[in-house]
Amino acid sequence: MDVLVWVTEATWPACVEAVHAHVPADARVTVLYVADDDVAGVASGAFAGLLGRSGQDRARRVTELAATSGQELLEAVAADLDRPATTVQRHGRVEREVVQAVADLGADLLILARDGDLRRLGPHSLGPAARFVVDHAPCATLLVWPGSTPEVGSIPPPPR
Amino acid sequence: MGAAGPVLAVALLIGVLGFAVVRPRGLPEAVAAVPAAAVVVVLGLVSPHAAWAETRTLLPVVAFLVAVLALSHLCDAEGLFAAAGDLMARLSRGRPQRLLGAVFAVASVVTAVLSLDATVVLLTPVVFATAARSGMRPKPFVYACTHLANSASLLLPVSNLTNLLAFTASGLSFSRFGALMALPWVAVVAVEYVVLRLFFRTDLGVALPSRGRAARARQGAPGTTPVSRLSVALVGATLVGFVVASVLGVPPAWAAAAGATVLAGRALAQRRTTARALLAAANVPFAVFVLGLGVIVVAVVRSGLGGVVGGFLPTGSSFLDLLAVAGVAAVAANLLNNLPAVLLLTPLALAAGGTPAVLAALIGVNVGPNLTYVGSLATLLWRRVLRDHGADAELAEFSALAAWSVPTALVGGVGALWVSLAMIGA
């Protein structure tokens, strides 16, 4: 059984707990982090706004920083998993890259955390990226709550 | 030249800006700007006398730019930016909303005193690393830096090259400029804060639980970067020097140069930087580019385009008049780029509405670039360059954020300027 765990900055501990609780010991675990190209793109736009004052190679620094911090995050997750796991880093449009990674790996299960408004059970407990991934994932998905799960009473009343 | 004159002047301006963004083979932008300036003089679009007068006016401005770029590099070499990262991480206590507040405070002050270049080039990478290490999504904080680099550059003549270019013509003193722009600066920063806080409420709502922070800290913890108190005192003294120099009627370039020289001597002696790195940071070819650009813009103004743009500018100083000036300036900054926009608009605004109109135009050219950063034409080139490097940014989110923040900040900034002018007087 191949399990892909998609981790993001703030919510990865919930995914680690889900692996501990639900993934069989003999399953192969791959941890995925996707760096959002938009962030480096915004930074390089601001660099371009300075014309030549930014220096030629400075714009690439943010892209490199994104890769380094992604690697550090994956190492933290791998250490916290406490079981053998492969780590993979990709970059691009986050939601597309996650779906592509599931397909490339031929994963049987995808584990991900909610990334939207986490104060109530919904609506919008899924952000745009997680919503796309849940909608398009070519395998079974396990969707977990980061931190404590809100009460059922947190759902707004139905419209009259 | 007849009808060919205006077309040629605008074509040269666009060509020079395009070259500056793409910079084929990494050539300095002056490589295109200087020959283009020579062409407009040789063809008689600008007289040699007028070209020299423009260059003489711009010389103190570019001298200051060189000094302040060197100063920012030295602050980085002294570890001040890394220390700012540690400070922001400590202030945030793991909470994204608190980090946003800290980033706003630091980025607004850095932009105001060391200019937008320092915020973009030196602070943005530090903020990215700080957010990532604190277990937060870096996007809202990177946006905060890039937006504030433009919109928090209203406060002082030294905060933005556009301010320096207009300041010389405005006839204001350094301290009076600061006094009139203080309220607009606060208003625009406040608008940006509210807009970013709401726009990124989802990203700012998730914090890493303490167990995750402990695991993350083992990988790359925000540490404490030692900074000598003498460095901080020297930088502080230089900044006070800007104000004192201008009160005494000395160009602020001298204060910046004196501070940069002392800091450079120390940093070179302690081998924290090299003469080569310092010279690269000072970027003298860029200063030459600004001089060339100035001459080309004189040609554009004299070609008749100045009269056309001037026709759009109202002559009064009511709130709506000032807002219209800021609007025209923001549009010009987005169509071309904010540097030619300010060179073009300053004399026109001064003639139409005096000092209040110049300050309103500055709000437009400084806040406006958050819509496209480099101007729409140059943005197309920039995206091509980005794709060549294997990355492609989605402009949808960028534009959606700008659509909220830019008009609101323009209205807020101009409203605050109007109040300032009523209280202090132009």
Side-chain angles (χ1 to χ4, degrees), chain B residues 34-402:
Chain B
V34 173
V39 166
V40 299
V41 173
V42 168
L43 293 180
L45 296 173
V46 179
S47 70
H49 178 76
W52 175 239
E54 177 73 5
T55 308
R56 281 276 302 273
T57 315
L58 293 180
L59 263 180
V61 173
V62 297
F64 182 85
L65 177 72
V66 167
V68 92
L69 285 174
L71 196 62
S72 301
H73 170 78
L74 291 163
C75 288
D76 190 34
E78 295 285 351
L80 288 179
F81 285 92
D86 297 340
L87 177 71
M88 289 184 283
R90 276 202 304 280
L91 287 174
S92 76
R93 288 193 228 139
R95 287 178 50 201
Q97 290 100 335
R98 287 184 64 110
L99 182 62
L100 188 70
V103 168
F104 259 75
V106 171
S108 301
V109 172
V110 167
T111 304
V113 297
L114 284 176
S115 88
L116 83 162
D117 298 40
T119 299
V120 172
V121 176
L122 303 170
L123 190 64
T124 304
V126 167
V127 163
F128 182 98
T130 304
R133 290 202 180 122
S134 308
M136 300 173 199
R137 299 176 183 164
K139 194 187 271 179
F141 309 104
V142 171
Y143 264 112
C145 282
T146 58
H147 265 232
L148 288 174
N150 287 316
S151 45
S153 70
L154 294 174
L155 183 63
L156 299 174
V158 303
S159 311
N160 196 325
L161 182 52
T162 53
N163 298 2
L164 281 170
L165 293 168
F167 172 62
T168 330
S170 73
L172 289 167
S173 71
F174 189 99
S175 42
R176 195 159 190 81
F177 183 101
L180 283 169
M181 290 302 246
L183 209 52
W185 179 67
V186 171
V188 167
V189 170
V191 166
E192 291 281 5
Y193 181 78
V194 171
V195 170
L196 259 86
R197 183 80 195 255
L198 291 175
F199 194 86
F200 290 111
R201 59 187 179 280
T202 307
D203 288 303
L204 293 170
V206 274
L208 193 58
S210 52
R211 176 173 142 243
R213 280 213 297 281
R216 195 72 176 81
R218 286 191 288 275
Q219 308 302 318
T224 42
T225 315
V227 180
S228 92
R229 285 192 185 168
L230 186 59
S231 313
V232 177
L234 281 172
V235 172
T238 307
L239 303 178
V240 173
F242 291 169
V243 183
V244 174
S246 63
V247 168
L248 297 175
V250 180
W254 289 108
T261 309
V262 174
L263 278 167
R266 237 169 74 82
L268 288 170
Q270 296 174 350
R271 293 172 190 248
R272 273 203 283 268
T273 188
T274 59
R276 198 192 171 99
L278 190 59
L279 197 64
N283 206 338
V284 178
F286 188 83
V288 177
F289 161 76
V290 174
L291 295 178
L293 193 65
V295 174
I296 298 163
V297 170
V298 171
V300 171
V301 171
R302 293 192 176 192
S303 72
L305 194 70
V308 175
V309 177
F312 284 109
L313 297 178
T315 48
S317 58
S318 71
F319 168 69
L320 286 177
D321 289 333
L322 295 178
L323 189 60
V325 173
V328 170
V331 169
N334 279 293
L335 282 179
L336 294 166
N337 172 268
N338 58 357
L339 293 185
V342 80
L343 288 167
L344 180 72
L345 283 170
T346 303
L348 301 173
L350 199 62
T355 307
V358 173
L359 296 179
L362 276 180
I363 294 179
V365 294
N366 290 348
V367 172
N370 277 338
L371 269 176
T372 56
Y373 288 140
V374 261
S376 47
L377 166 92
T379 297
L380 295 175
L381 295 170
W382 156 62
R383 293 201 72 196
R384 208 203 71 203
V385 173
L386 207 62
R387 274 199 293 275
D388 290 347
H389 288 142
D392 193 10
E394 264 301 298
L395 284 187
E397 188 176 50
F398 170 85
S399 307
L401 178 61

Side-chain angles (χ1 to χ4, degrees), chain A residues 8-121:
Chain A
T8 67
E9 275 84 6
T11 57
W12 62 264
C15 297
V16 170
E17 282 165 24
V19 172
H20 289 158
H22 303 295
V23 173
D26 60 347
R28 285 183 299 276
V29 175
T30 305
V31 185
L32 167 73
Y33 175 79
V34 184
D36 188 349
D37 271 355
D38 275 7
V39 180
V42 166
S44 70
F47 278 92
L50 300 180
L51 302 176
R53 282 172 288 157
S54 59
Q56 275 283 296
D57 49 347
R58 292 291 184 95
R60 248 168 272 146
R61 206 167 130 194
V62 176
T63 315
E64 286 163 14
L65 260 176
T68 313
S69 76
Q71 202 51 47
E72 285 176 3
L73 178 77
L74 284 171
E75 284 164 19
V77 175
D80 212 33
L81 262 180
D82 211 17
R83 63 183 277 168
T86 314
T87 58
V88 177
Q89 179 163 199
R90 300 171 79 118
H91 75 96
R93 273 198 198 195
V94 177
E95 62 276 18
R96 301 256 168 190
E97 290 299 323
V98 174
V99 172
Q100 192 59 52
V102 172
D104 291 351
L105 185 72
D108 305 293
L109 175 68
L110 169 69
I111 298 180
L112 74 160
R114 287 169 194 270
D115 61 352
D117 182 354
L118 303 176
R119 291 166 302 175
R120 53 188 188 191
L121 283 178

